[in-house]
Amino acid sequence: MPPDEAKRVAVIFSEIAAKKLPIKDLENWNIGKDGERICLLTNGVPLLDEAGNLKGYRGVDKDITERKRIEKVCELLRKNSGIF
């Protein structure tokens, strides 16, 4: 994960974890094995021990890089065509 993105996500995640909330559709940019930037959509549920203490999260990441690229192209087309 790029350093600037790590800082951004850390702020969001610390708030979620402090409240023991589920992670819901957290978009975050990472660096893939090939060095390319990829966008992941993260969802997870908190894992609590018997005393209610947060032990971690169980969840999934979905690669939404292509969707984000398409959204960016659509945004550029809207701006260039004058359509709001």
Side-chain angles (χ1 to χ4, degrees), residues 18-83:
K19 297 176 184 175
K20 303 174 191 172
L21 297 173
I23 301 169
K24 179 77 172 131
D25 294 339
L26 175 60
E27 290 183 11
N28 54 97
W29 287 91
N30 291 270
I31 301 171
K33 292 178 185 176
D34 60 1
E36 293 277 333
R37 286 177 53 103
I38 58 172
C39 188
L40 299 176
L41 187 65
T42 302
N43 286 281
V45 294
L47 299 175
L48 307 176
D49 65 13
E50 299 80 25
N53 299 309
L54 181 65
K55 301 306 281 182
Y57 280 86
R58 164 131 0 232
V60 296
D61 287 319
K62 180 178 179 181
D63 185 344
I64 61 166
T65 308
E66 190 62 25
R67 181 176 91 189
K68 298 302 285 183
R69 288 184 180 142
I70 291 169
E71 288 173 357
K72 188 173 185 176
V73 168
C74 289
E75 177 73 20
L76 290 172
L77 289 172
R78 274 194 299 278
K79 284 182 180 180
N80 291 333
S81 68
I83 298 173

